[in-house]
Amino acid sequence: MAKAKVGVVLGSDSDLDVVIECLRLLKLFGVPFEIEVASAHRSPQKTRDYARSASRRGLYVIIAAAGGAAHLPGFIASETTLPIIGIPIPSSELMGHDSLLSIAQMPSGVPVATMGIGKSGAANAAILAVQILSLSDRALSRKLHNFKNELTRKVNKASEKTKIDMEKIIQKL
């Protein structure tokens, strides 16, 4: 197995059902990744050690998913100079809004790229990681370009289908 380029850190194993789309996309692009469960609150030393050793272990980007107070992405960002991408998990009564604000409101000097809440945010975290890595990897850049073209193709196809369906509906009026 290739050496991981992206670290994916979950604040809890229960976050996996949201983060699975991130992992699927990283795999689709052929980006080697590793997964770790670590908590800024319950295992701070493990989390600190992970963040501090990430660059030395060959990681280029860390994706951190957290719910509730969501300190994990910011905690990791405070311990490394690698780009950190935060995924807010909708785990509390506030349905992820608390997590979103916790991750987005980092103090100056400790940036975390904050994605949207939940599964779409997890997907975008993977795509942003791929975009970062593609800056120095032509093959990955081509895969990303093809991926974006496929998104466009699907939208255009759906648009044509909708026009045909609407014409049929209008004729029946």
Side-chain angles (χ1 to χ4, degrees), residues 16-89:
L16 187 58
D17 65 323
V18 171
V19 176
I20 199 75
E21 184 64 8
C22 172
L23 305 177
R24 186 189 73 76
L25 284 168
L26 290 172
K27 186 175 179 182
L28 174 76
F29 281 102
V31 173
F33 60 89
E34 64 183 31
I35 305 170
E36 186 67 62
V37 176
S39 170
H41 299 115
R42 294 181 296 271
S43 61
Q45 191 58 50
K46 175 184 180 181
T47 307
R48 182 175 289 112
D49 293 344
Y50 181 87
R52 288 181 177 176
S53 68
S55 181
R56 184 173 61 250
R57 291 182 295 107
L59 297 182
Y60 291 89
V61 179
I62 297 174
I63 297 170
H71 289 107
L72 183 64
F75 184 85
I76 292 173
S78 74
E79 297 289 342
T80 184
T81 58
L82 293 177
I84 308 301
I85 303 170
I87 303 170
I89 301 293

Side-chain angles (χ1 to χ4, degrees), residues 3 12 24 30 35 71-72 84-85 91-92 98 100 115 118 128 139 141 153:
K3 190 174 182 180
S12 168
R24 186 189 73 76
I35 305 170
H71 289 107
L72 183 64
I84 308 301
I85 303 170
S91 62
S92 73
D98 51 343
L100 175 67
M115 300 295 103
L128 181 56
S141 181
R153 189 192 70 73

Side-chain angles (χ1 to χ4, degrees), residues 88-102:
I89 301 293
S91 62
S92 73
E93 292 77 18
L94 297 175
M95 300 177 357
H97 290 92
D98 51 343
S99 305
L100 175 67
L101 294 174
S102 293

